[in-house]
Amino acid sequence: MASSSVPSFTFQATGEDNPRQVSGSGSSRRHLSDSESEICPTTKSLARLCSRDKDERATALEKLSQKILVCLELDRAGSPRLSKQTLLHLLRLSRSCPLQEVRIRATELLCIAQEEGIEVPRALASGPSAFIPAKEMLIEGLNQDILIESFLSLGRVDHLTMVMALHPSYLSCFLRTRHALFELDGPLPRDWRHYVSVMAAARHHCSYIVQQHSKAFLEAGGEESWLSGIKNAPVKLRSLHTLNKLLAHRPWLITQEHIQELVCAGAEPRWSLAELIHAVILMAHTHSLCSFVWGCGLNPEPDHIGGYAFHPPSPCHIPHSPAHEDGRQELVDGAVEVEVLMKRMVELQQQQEEEECTQEEMVTRFERERSESIQTAVVRGAPPELVLCLVEEPEFRYEDFAPKGEQSPPIMRAQDYSWEDHGFSLVQRLLPDMGQFLDEEFQVVSNLTYNRMAMHEDVDTYTLRKALWNYIHCLYGIRYDDYDYGSVNVLLERSLKVFVKTMACHPEQTTARIYHAFWRHFRHSEKVHANLIVMGARLQAALLYTLRSIT
């Protein structure tokens, strides 16, 4: 039985990956099917757990407990039964609710159900991320308030929020942008907004986001058949297919003609510019979020397919640890790498102050960086059917901006079309306030710093952050005339380039090996910071190409 000693965010050991299996015929436990009658702790009663009034929350928790305990009086004839959904809801609360009294009570109720012979679900993951130890997520200080706020506002604290909470200032503006995109008044109905995100996430085989928005789509009144295949969706939504695949994989190929096909007179079905800009931001935001989900190795939620099981853990299962076998040697090598990087940052700054490069040399360095061969693709298993059925032309994937031996598309010069001078005002005009939300997100991620690097404090990390942002835009064919791209090769080691390019260009290929290979002596929160920079730079690049075509 759980007691008040349960710590915040109690994560369990990893188990076998079989979310639908139930115990064998010889077991005395019973698996309760969805079809059995239940006493519904209703959506409304569960929502009251998110009340900002502490007394109302306590009352709701007591009523929920009473309803569930009545369900467990199994000896009384005709007694209602707990549904699988209710059990999964309790599992999620027991694992991730930042309110201790709710988390403890959910744990106790699951224990009581188990003692009564009910098969209760068990989370398969040991924490929010497969790459980051769970203890990194358990910071009680600054991020606890934002986790509580997230729970009270959204009704849950998901793995995405937990990992992003390592950087509370970014998480705050991200949640505001997400709320504006999906909840505030806008040209697209709410169910369509979630379906557009489902379509976008499917391009990167991201079942985590597909499941999140599929659930939200149904809760918003969406038609369930649309989720069983893109062919069941309205023609107007399906007409976004070309724009969706280009935004996800090769946004530099987007032209004015792609926009005209959707918005001009005679287009059938026809999108208004406001509707289209809303859909474009939804798709680009989701594509970049897929980079973050894959790049941080997010595990399925406890109530997602692949995130729970109803069978007991295998006694012989030993979770795999990606840690280096020789920890002491890694410590030494990592410390040396950090020292070298810091020295390079200082030397680079001094060099740039003393020397001036010609414009021709700057262009040459950009071209050298852009055409550098960074092999990233690895073999990954086929995506689940719930994702594949939502993808048209699955064979259309990322290709380098300028493959060797081929003529490259025209470079986008940041001085000719930028977010600050052009994109922001267009979004703000067509979708009021959304430009402001996105601008805040870009500003926060660009300026985010704690003035530290690995074990060192009082470090100016500007040159490193700038190199990361500009390298991602370089991969997308965007050049800053006033930036020396020789800095990228000096500051970004090859293993970091492999990780960044994988995340930015085909995130579904990200692996633990790629994640652990770079910045080996840095904090995990610093690697998450790098993920945020990739996500922001990728989002801005995709938006710039599309907004330029609309302009």
Side-chain angles (χ1 to χ4, degrees):
M1 182 73 68
S3 69
S4 58
S5 63
V6 178
S8 182
F9 303 123
T10 307
F11 300 113
Q12 300 170 8
T14 306
E16 294 173 295
D17 185 12
N18 191 349
R20 293 197 173 275
Q21 186 174 331
V22 300
S23 56
S25 57
S27 171
S28 61
R29 296 186 180 276
R30 296 175 301 98
H31 176 72
L32 301 177
S33 71
D34 292 324
S35 60
E36 290 184 23
S37 60
E38 63 171 304
I39 212 163
C40 282
T42 61
T43 303
K44 195 171 181 181
S45 67
L46 291 168
R48 290 196 187 101
L49 293 176
C50 305
S51 170
R52 293 182 185 277
D53 185 290
K54 192 172 182 180
D55 292 336
E56 187 177 340
R57 232 173 26 235
T59 302
L61 188 58
E62 195 55 44
K63 286 183 177 177
L64 172 66
S65 301
Q66 289 170 3
K67 284 185 175 184
I68 289 173
L69 291 172
V70 167
C71 288
L72 295 174
E73 292 181 9
L74 301 175
D75 292 337
R76 288 165 54 182
S79 204
R81 305 292 171 84
L82 284 172
S83 72
K84 183 171 81 174
Q85 281 312 112
T86 299
L87 289 168
L88 288 173
H89 194 92
L90 287 173
L91 175 64
R92 180 161 54 76
L93 289 173
S94 73
R95 301 271 299 176
S96 62
C97 180
L99 299 172
Q100 190 178 37
E101 68 275 14
V102 176
R103 189 174 64 252
I104 291 172
R105 184 66 62 88
T107 304
E108 289 173 344
L109 290 170
L110 285 172
C111 288
I112 293 169
Q114 191 167 32
E115 288 166 3
E116 293 291 343
I118 302 295
E119 278 200 20
V120 300
R122 178 179 54 80
L124 291 175
S126 60
S129 166
F131 300 166
I132 307 171
K135 63 185 177 184
E136 293 277 337
M137 305 296 110
L138 308 183
I139 302 169
E140 289 287 346
L142 293 174
N143 70 9
Q144 196 68 7
D145 289 341
I146 200 169
L147 293 176
I148 291 173
E149 177 59 33
S150 179
F151 178 77
L152 296 179
S153 302
L154 306 174
R156 66 186 294 155
V157 176
D158 57 23
H159 291 167
L160 179 70
T161 303
M162 287 186 204
V163 174
M164 255 189 212
L166 291 170
H167 301 281
S169 59
Y170 181 82
L171 176 58
S172 293
C173 70
F174 171 81
L175 292 176
R176 285 194 290 274
T177 303
R178 188 166 71 175
H179 178 73
L181 273 175
F182 293 101
E183 301 302 330
L184 295 186
D185 290 341
L188 293 180
R190 283 177 177 78
D191 59 333
W192 278 39
R193 301 179 199 190
H194 290 291
Y195 194 78
V196 168
S197 284
V198 166
M199 291 169 58
R203 291 283 350 159
H204 284 309
H205 303 171
C206 189
S207 61
Y208 181 93
I209 296 179
V210 167
Q211 289 192 71
Q212 270 197 334
H213 285 288
S214 294
K215 184 180 179 190
F217 167 73
L218 295 174
E219 288 173 351
E223 177 60 52
E224 190 170 3
S225 64
W226 298 6
L227 297 175
S228 61
I230 192 76
K231 62 185 183 299
N232 299 324
V235 175
K236 186 170 179 176
L237 280 172
R238 292 175 63 189
S239 69
L240 291 174
H241 161 64
T242 299
L243 206 52
N244 184 26
K245 74 174 187 181
L246 291 176
L247 268 170
H249 308 300
R250 302 174 215 169
W252 50 86
L253 298 182
I254 295 172
T255 65
Q256 188 177 340
E257 286 69 33
H258 292 120
I259 306 302
Q260 288 174 333
E261 288 171 4
L262 296 169
V263 301
C264 287
E268 187 55 44
R270 186 177 180 183
W271 289 76
S272 72
L273 267 178
E275 287 175 331
L276 186 61
I277 206 78
H278 197 174
V280 163
I281 295 171
L282 284 165
M283 288 187 287
H285 202 266
T286 303
H287 295 147
S288 64
L289 196 56
C290 289
S291 288
F292 186 82
V293 169
W294 284 114
C296 292
L298 293 196
N299 286 317
E301 296 294 322
D303 54 349
H304 277 185
I305 294 172
Y308 65 89
F310 278 93
H311 58 81
S314 168
C316 61
H317 180 79
I318 302 172
H320 170 69
S321 170
H324 199 286
E325 287 179 11
D326 187 351
R328 285 174 300 177
Q329 183 59 42
E330 187 179 73
L331 199 68
V332 173
D333 292 346
V336 170
E337 286 172 5
V338 176
E339 299 290 347
V340 169
L341 178 55
M342 286 183 63
K343 186 179 177 185
R344 285 177 178 175
M345 288 166 65
V346 172
E347 289 174 348
L348 194 63
Q349 217 157 6
Q350 292 172 344
Q351 183 183 332
Q352 288 172 346
E353 289 169 1
E354 296 167 3
E355 298 177 15
E356 274 194 31
C357 270
T358 64
Q359 192 58 43
E360 290 77 12
E361 178 61 22
M362 300 272 259
V363 171
T364 299
R365 291 178 182 181
F366 170 81
E367 291 297 334
R368 189 182 301 138
E369 198 58 53
R370 183 175 62 82
S371 59
E372 182 185 20
S373 178
I374 300 286
Q375 296 300 320
T376 56
V378 297
V379 177
R380 183 182 285 280
E385 181 56 32
L386 69 87
V387 170
L388 267 184
C389 68
L390 296 164
V391 181
E392 292 183 284
E393 288 187 80
E395 69 283 356
F396 187 90
R397 311 304 302 158
Y398 167 82
E399 285 185 4
D400 283 345
F401 178 81
K404 282 195 172 181
E406 297 181 25
Q407 186 173 359
S408 64
I411 295 296
M412 179 190 279
R413 294 174 68 244
Q415 282 71 12
D416 295 337
Y417 198 92
S418 69
W419 168 257
E420 294 80 7
D421 297 332
H422 308 90
F424 170 77
S425 55
L426 179 60
V427 172
Q428 196 71 351
R429 179 162 57 86
L430 293 173
L431 208 60
D433 296 329
M434 185 49 66
Q436 197 65 50
F437 286 117
L438 288 169
D439 192 58
E440 182 190 12
E441 206 172 302
F442 293 142
Q443 290 287 342
V444 170
V445 76
S446 296
N447 298 321
L448 185 64
T449 182
Y450 303 94
N451 296 114
R452 68 177 182 232
M453 208 164 77
M455 71 292 291
H456 298 279
E457 301 290 338
D458 300 318
V459 181
D460 183 355
T461 61
Y462 173 79
T463 54
L464 181 58
R465 289 181 281 119
K466 188 73 173 172
L468 271 171
W469 185 279
N470 286 358
Y471 175 59
I472 295 148
H473 277 197
C474 175
L475 292 173
Y476 276 68
I478 299 173
R479 187 181 84 225
Y480 294 83
D481 287 349
D482 58 352
Y483 183 73
D484 178 4
Y485 286 86
S487 307
V488 172
N489 254 348
V490 173
L491 299 178
L492 307 189
E493 62 187 26
R494 191 170 185 84
S495 58
L496 175 56
K497 282 185 173 182
V498 169
F499 176 77
V500 168
K501 185 176 180 181
T502 303
M503 262 192 69
C505 303
H506 33 75
E508 62 277 7
Q509 303 289 355
T510 308
T511 62
R513 181 185 294 274
I514 293 173
Y515 174 88
H516 289 287
F518 80 96
W519 285 0
R520 290 178 297 165
H521 206 56
F522 281 61
R523 298 172 176 90
H524 285 286
S525 61
E526 291 172 307
K527 292 193 173 193
V528 172
H529 188 175
N531 273 292
L532 293 177
I533 292 173
V534 175
M535 182 169 74
R538 179 189 175 176
L539 171 60
Q540 190 179 96
L543 287 178
L544 286 175
Y545 280 110
T546 316
L547 296 173
R548 184 180 65 170
S549 298
I550 291 174
T551 303

